[in-house]
Amino acid sequence: MLFVEGFRLLFVLAGSFGGYEAGQHVGGGAHAPLIGLLFGAAISYVLGGVAGRLTDKALQKAVFLLRNTPPGEVFASSIISTSGMLLGMVIGLPLLVYVHSGIALLVTAVLVWVLASLGWRIGSVKGRQIVEAAGLSRILSPQSSSARSEAMLVDGSAVTDRLLLVLGRSGLLPGGLVVPQFVVDHLRAVSEAPDPVTSRRARRGLESLEALREMNIPVHIAPDEIPETDDLDGKLLTLARRTGLRIGTCSTAVIDQAARWELIAVDLREVSNGLAPDHTPGEVLTVELIKEGRQPRQAVGYLADGDMVVVNDATHLIDAGTVEVTVLSTRPTSQGIMVFAKLATGGGVEEQPGRQREASQSTGR
């Protein structure tokens, strides 16, 4: 309340002075300046109260947004913003000296505002580098003790991918994982969605985090909310910039944005494809066909690691036991490697024991 009334007082003083000056230039008798002063004071009193309340709300929102901003970024933004404001004043000073009009004052104010805003934005983006270059990182940006610097910051696409469990079982996550709270909340919401596929993947992702904890792999839930943006990718990138952690994701959009933000991001799909078995054309695999494919006479089976095998002209061998097939080509997908194959020349069908007994019983009859 005190800020609003002080703001209004400044408005009234400025309005009174402006009204007095206007009354002198308009003319109309000796009482014109006094009338102009009264009108200026009355109008500025109302406008000052409105402007003061709006400014007070804006300042409160700014304080809320800066609450979770690292002090290094605030320091760098303040320094560069002040430098931009001073530069705007220096540029606009000749206009104020040689051009005696309100336009010169307006142009100078616009220059000051634009350069100050530009400086603040540059400081917020490059704050960490500026602080490090100034040698103040140890004072203004102390390392967080909640998560190790070797940890990986992951998003929802990484949590729902099976590769994290594979890396955890293999001991390739020594620094553990950092999962933002907003990612966990998003996965919980998706797990209750009516779509059975997405809800199942979200539940599997949450279960994988618990499985990693049971493997004694550190899984830290970061409570940062990042209220300045509603976009999940933007929240993730902002948190990565603040913590200095590398990002683990399966999202192409996050990879592209991280490159623009000059952040380190690991594409887990590329890692998965690189670690996947290399099924070269001509290699013979053994697979059990369990269902029809999308194209006519195609049959589909799965290898032990979960990779899909699509076999041409093999629908008559569905549920007929394991079949030898020859690899034609492979294609990486979001779920792993898809293998395209044909029936091996001279390859037979290895019947399952139950089917063998059934066949012998039917032969006996």
Side-chain angles (χ1 to χ4, degrees):
M1 191 65 180
L2 182 61
F3 172 82
V4 175
E5 293 303 324
F7 198 89
R8 173 180 282 168
L9 175 61
L10 294 176
F11 251 64
V12 169
L13 292 176
S16 301
F17 179 77
Y20 184 83
E21 291 291 329
Q24 284 185 331
H25 287 84
V26 169
H31 299 291
L34 180 60
I35 295 174
L37 185 147
L38 294 177
F39 270 103
I43 295 174
S44 59
Y45 180 84
V46 176
L47 295 179
V50 175
R53 291 185 182 89
L54 293 176
T55 305
D56 185 53
K57 290 182 180 180
L59 291 176
Q60 291 178 2
K61 185 177 180 180
V63 171
F64 178 78
L65 293 178
L66 292 174
R67 182 181 57 182
N68 294 324
T69 304
E73 294 183 8
V74 176
F75 175 78
S77 299
S78 302
I79 294 298
I80 301 178
S81 178
T82 303
S83 301
M85 181 174 61
L86 295 176
L87 179 61
M89 289 182 176
V90 171
I91 295 175
L93 186 61
L95 291 175
L96 295 176
V97 173
Y98 295 105
V99 182
H100 300 284
S101 69
I103 297 178
L105 182 61
L106 178 61
V107 171
T108 303
V110 170
L111 281 174
V112 170
W113 175 253
V114 170
L115 293 178
S117 300
L118 178 62
W120 181 268
R121 295 185 181 185
I122 293 176
S124 63
V125 173
K126 294 290 186 179
R128 181 176 296 276
Q129 292 89 332
I130 294 172
V131 169
E132 291 178 355
L136 301 174
S137 57
R138 183 173 297 181
I139 300 174
L140 295 174
S141 300
Q143 294 294 326
S144 174
S145 59
S146 58
R148 297 172 57 182
S149 59
E150 300 87 358
M152 181 182 295
L153 180 67
V154 294
D155 62 355
S157 65
V159 172
T160 56
D161 191 83
R162 61 177 183 171
L163 182 62
L164 286 183
L165 279 176
V166 176
L167 295 176
R169 294 192 191 101
S170 304
L172 298 178
L173 294 175
L177 300 176
V178 177
V179 188
Q181 182 64 54
F182 54 81
V183 170
V184 176
D185 295 339
H186 175 70
L187 290 176
R188 287 174 179 168
V190 173
S191 66
E192 303 296 331
D195 186 359
V197 177
T198 56
S199 61
R200 183 165 57 249
R201 285 177 61 86
R203 286 194 299 269
R204 186 182 67 180
L206 294 173
E207 292 170 357
S208 68
L209 295 179
E210 296 300 326
L212 290 171
R213 286 194 179 98
E214 294 176 359
M215 300 177 194
N216 295 323
I217 296 174
V219 178
H220 175 69
I221 305 298
D224 308 64
E225 291 296 336
I226 319 297
E228 56 265 35
T229 178
D230 295 328
D231 180 53
L232 289 178
D233 293 346
K235 289 176 180 287
L236 181 79
L237 294 170
T238 303
L239 183 58
R241 188 178 64 194
R242 292 180 181 179
T243 58
L245 297 176
R246 54 185 177 147
I247 301 172
T249 181
C250 295
S251 171
T252 304
V254 173
I255 294 294
D256 294 340
Q257 291 186 57
R260 290 194 294 268
W261 287 39
E262 298 180 356
L263 299 173
I264 300 176
V266 179
D267 191 342
L268 296 181
R269 288 183 180 176
E270 289 188 0
V271 176
S272 178
N273 295 335
L275 296 176
D278 186 13
H279 302 296
T280 58
E283 180 182 354
V284 177
L285 303 176
T286 302
V287 64
E288 182 180 356
L289 305 177
I290 60 175
K291 63 180 181 179
E292 294 185 3
R294 294 184 177 179
Q295 302 299 325
R297 298 187 56 79
Q298 276 187 346
V300 176
Y302 293 90
L303 299 175
D305 57 5
D307 290 336
M308 179 186 293
V309 181
V310 180
V311 185
N312 297 328
D313 300 323
T315 52
H316 61 287
L317 296 177
I318 294 176
D319 294 331
T322 56
V323 178
E324 289 186 349
V325 298
T326 302
V327 177
L328 297 176
S329 63
T330 59
R331 186 179 70 185
T333 67
S334 59
Q335 304 299 321
I337 298 295
M338 180 181 292
V339 180
F340 296 93
K342 66 177 181 178
L343 293 175
T345 304
V349 177
E350 182 182 345
E351 294 188 347
Q352 298 175 350
R355 293 187 175 275
Q356 292 177 355
R357 289 195 298 270
E358 182 179 346
S360 62
Q361 290 175 1
S362 61
T363 304
R365 288 196 296 267

